[in-house]
Amino acid sequence: MIAIATASQKGGVGKTTLCINLAYSLARRGWTTLLVDTDPQGGVGLSLARSTRTKQGFYDFLSGERDINKLILPTRLPELQILPTGQYDHCARRGWSAQEVPVRLADLLRAAELRGVDCVIMDTAAGLNGMSESVVKACDYVILPQQAEPLAVRSVPHMLETLSRFRTEGAGVKVAGILMTMVMGDSQISQKVVAELRAMLPNDLMFDQVVPRMNSFLEASAMGVPVALLKKNPPPEALIFDQLAAELEQRAGLAEERESSESHASLLD
Amino acid sequence: MQVSWIDAHQVTALAEGLRRAPTKSPLPSAATQSVATSLVDDSAAFVFPEELEEPLESLAEVIVESDSPPPMVDFRARLQAIRERAVSAGLIPAKAPAPPEELHLELPPFQPRTGAVSARLAAFIDWAQPALVDAEIFIVDDQGDLHWGTPATAGLALSAIMAWSAASRMSALAACETPEPLRQVLATGRHLAVIPCPTRLGIMHVAITSLALVPQAQILVISQALTSAMDANDE
């Protein structure tokens, strides 16, 4: 099993949209995927159903709930499960020990592995501090969505410095890649930002795939579905996340075990 | 003109640092922040001392000739911490169910009395009751008729006996063997022991409800006592 966090210093860069759609694509590709919402805003739950606001979830587990199986919500796609934010305010009032957080996160990942989960995707709140810092440190990989506009990418050095600090503090988290989001095809500035980052950073730190700014993502949020479920036949932009999932499989080594254990079937027999 | 205002040298250096493989895997490193209570503490546990880097032969000598016992207290503390973390994570149940407490029973030899059925049962009760303090004794025949005991308090025990005998009769063994004794906990929390006794009047059941379990070893004694009470010959 691998655990992947998404993180960014800046809010509103499309972390939650990325998490929902990437988790859906991974699940469609046959990976049992658990999408965990660690953002107190509960964006994952709010994007998918009204009822998740009242449900227990991640923060309830953090503050003492022992049976994680009671908190995980199944979806219509059997390979996709969701652990919503839960009752953050209620749990915050009761409080939890900061020292206990890494241990509970490790417990959460072990419990997910015991459930047969292949891939945990953890959505975080903006900023690389507090809970988001603990979540990133607990994961195997971190995806860094970056909005393709000048002000947003100016925080990239700061973000890389913070991740370097995590590593010196003993965290084993690896950078799966920086993912350019909200890329505007008709904006020269937006395109230039992407080009500048690609020129500066090695290829294995930048996802080939970018996520464009599109109305269909807004529509999908409004309807409470991943973008692939907007229409009966998935729209072209749904393939963005399939491509991203495929790229992630390679970067995180997800596919290696499956490839070694399953032979390739020929097309005809 | 650069729009991102990023120092390319700085970012390249940072990126190179991040491309190097991390020194630790993420899960244990998260857990080691709370060493005393971590689920799997592999940062400190079972670390070989430096002298173990010597060849294997000398290692064997060091271990065999060492007078100092292994730090069992330390091992136990770590195992306990692992267990507590596993319990707290809901991976294992909090406690293994403790075996139920058994009655301390000392039964004297039974002397049957002859005469009417009620006199024979009275002799049995006079023998058994002093040893079964705080216990209630019922005697029921195979048809469910209560021969001894207070009907008002026998409800649960009677229901259990009848359900159990009905199930026993359904089994093939019932045709040729006496049913096995039954021991279970009632809804009231008391323990019920139902002891079938083959008598000349058919199978009779001694039902005992008590705060603790009737010991298995005494069940045969009680069964034999009721059988002899019912089967004793009139002179």
Side-chain angles (χ1 to χ4, degrees):
Chain A
M1 189 194 79
I2 60 166
I4 301 165
T6 57
S8 71
Q9 295 282 11
K10 182 180 175 300
V13 301
K15 279 192 303 295
T16 301
T17 301
L18 166 67
C19 285
I20 291 170
N21 288 285
L22 178 61
Y24 180 81
S25 285
L26 285 167
R28 283 294 302 265
R29 292 171 70 84
W31 304 109
T32 302
T33 303
L34 175 64
L35 173 56
V36 181
D37 191 357
T38 73
D39 183 351
Q41 285 186 48
V44 168
L46 295 177
S47 298
L48 296 177
R50 289 179 194 181
S51 61
T52 56
R53 191 176 297 187
T54 58
K55 296 203 185 299
Q56 291 194 313
F58 174 75
Y59 282 96
D60 300 276
F61 181 79
L62 211 63
S63 59
E65 170 57 52
R66 289 184 175 179
D67 187 0
I68 194 165
N69 297 318
K70 286 198 308 194
L71 308 177
I72 291 178
L73 308 177
T75 69
R76 287 179 196 165
L77 187 63
E79 289 82 10
L80 179 59
Q81 306 157 11
I82 294 174
L83 179 61
T85 298
Q87 302 304 304
Y88 172 78
D89 287 320
H90 176 70
C91 297
R93 269 195 291 274
R94 281 193 306 182
W96 55 76
S97 154
Q99 287 181 328
E100 274 285 296
V101 170
V103 183
R104 291 299 283 166
L105 285 170
D107 291 343
L108 169 64
L109 296 179
R110 284 191 184 90
E113 192 159 21
L114 283 176
R115 280 176 67 93
V117 170
D118 297 312
C119 187
V120 179
I121 303 285
M122 301 186 90
D123 190 18
T124 61
L128 276 170
N129 47 28
M131 183 60 68
S132 297
E133 176 175 340
S134 299
V135 170
V136 170
K137 283 179 169 175
C139 285
D140 302 300
Y141 288 92
V142 60
I143 299 176
L144 306 168
Q146 277 297 317
Q147 189 178 348
E149 58 102 355
L151 184 58
V153 296
R154 284 169 195 166
S155 68
V156 166
H158 180 208
M159 187 179 62
L160 297 180
E161 268 178 43
T162 306
L163 288 170
S164 297
R165 174 172 61 83
F166 290 178
R167 296 277 283 268
T168 57
E169 288 170 356
V173 63
K174 294 181 279 256
V175 179
I178 293 175
L179 173 69
M180 300 309 296
T181 60
M182 300 184 169
V183 179
M184 292 185 279
D186 55 354
S187 161
Q188 282 190 350
I189 296 284
S190 184
Q191 298 290 334
K192 196 165 179 354
V193 164
V194 176
E196 282 181 12
L197 266 189
R198 284 203 190 284
M200 276 184 255
L201 292 169
N203 287 339
D204 57 359
L205 275 191
M206 294 281 291
F207 280 98
D208 294 334
Q209 184 62 52
V210 300
V211 180
R213 184 188 282 273
M214 296 183 83
N215 283 336
S216 50
F217 296 137
L218 278 180
E219 287 171 34
S221 297
M223 291 176 67
V225 293
V227 74
L229 295 180
L230 260 184
K231 295 171 185 165
K232 194 172 178 185
N233 283 341
E237 48 271 33
L239 300 181
I240 291 167
F241 296 101
D242 289 342
Q243 170 69 26
L244 194 59
E247 220 179 310
L248 186 64
E249 284 172 9
Q250 299 297 324
R251 285 168 179 262
L254 248 181
E256 284 169 15
E257 195 179 334
R258 186 177 280 182
E259 277 169 5
S260 63
S261 62
E262 292 176 15
S263 60
H264 295 280
S266 125
L267 192 58
L268 286 177
D269 52 39
Chain B
M1 184 194 74
Q2 195 198 41
V3 293
S4 59
W5 295 1
I6 293 176
D7 179 346
H9 295 294
Q10 181 199 13
V11 166
T12 305
L14 285 168
E16 280 305 315
L18 286 169
R19 287 172 79 193
R20 282 195 289 274
T23 51
K24 278 185 161 187
S25 59
L27 211 53
S29 70
T32 50
Q33 293 195 8
S34 174
V35 171
T37 56
S38 64
L39 183 59
V40 178
D41 173 14
D42 57 2
S43 67
F46 313 119
V47 174
F48 287 98
E50 282 179 9
E51 54 266 37
L52 298 194
E53 290 171 7
E54 291 176 12
L56 200 58
E57 289 79 11
S58 63
L59 167 65
E61 278 176 30
V62 168
I63 290 175
V64 171
E65 291 180 3
S66 171
D67 289 334
S68 60
M72 296 305 291
V73 176
D74 194 27
F75 288 167
R76 283 198 196 98
R78 284 184 182 153
L79 286 170
Q80 181 62 26
I82 289 169
R83 180 178 169 73
E84 283 168 9
R85 289 303 315 146
V87 169
S88 142
L91 300 177
I92 56 172
K95 266 189 181 175
E101 193 186 337
E102 290 197 338
L103 279 175
H104 179 66
L105 259 187
E106 282 186 19
L107 291 163
F110 176 62
Q111 296 296 327
R113 265 183 245 157
T114 55
V117 168
S118 57
R120 290 165 185 264
L121 293 180
F124 172 79
I125 296 296
D126 289 346
W127 166 78
Q129 190 71 74
L132 292 162
V133 186
D134 292 332
E136 281 189 281
I137 306 176
F138 309 98
I139 298 176
V140 184
D141 67 20
D142 217 21
Q143 282 70 49
D145 292 328
L146 184 65
H147 291 272
W148 196 277
T150 316
T153 57
L156 268 177
L158 272 175
S159 306
I161 294 169
M162 295 318 294
W164 169 70
S165 356
S168 297
R169 273 195 289 271
M170 294 292 287
S171 75
L173 284 177
C176 54
E177 287 185 11
T178 306
E180 288 293 309
L182 168 78
R183 295 197 299 176
Q184 69 172 58
V185 181
L186 294 173
T188 56
R190 290 171 72 86
H191 292 269
L192 169 69
V194 181
I195 306 165
C197 311
T199 72
R200 63 183 176 178
L201 302 178
I203 303 281
M204 297 193 77
H205 305 276
V206 181
I208 301 168
T209 63
S210 51
L211 292 172
L213 208 59
V214 177
Q216 189 72 42
Q218 299 295 350
I219 280 181
L220 182 64
V221 177
I222 293 170
S223 171
Q224 285 171 343
L226 185 65
T227 301
S228 65
M230 299 307 292
D231 292 358
N233 287 323
D234 289 315
E235 292 178 1

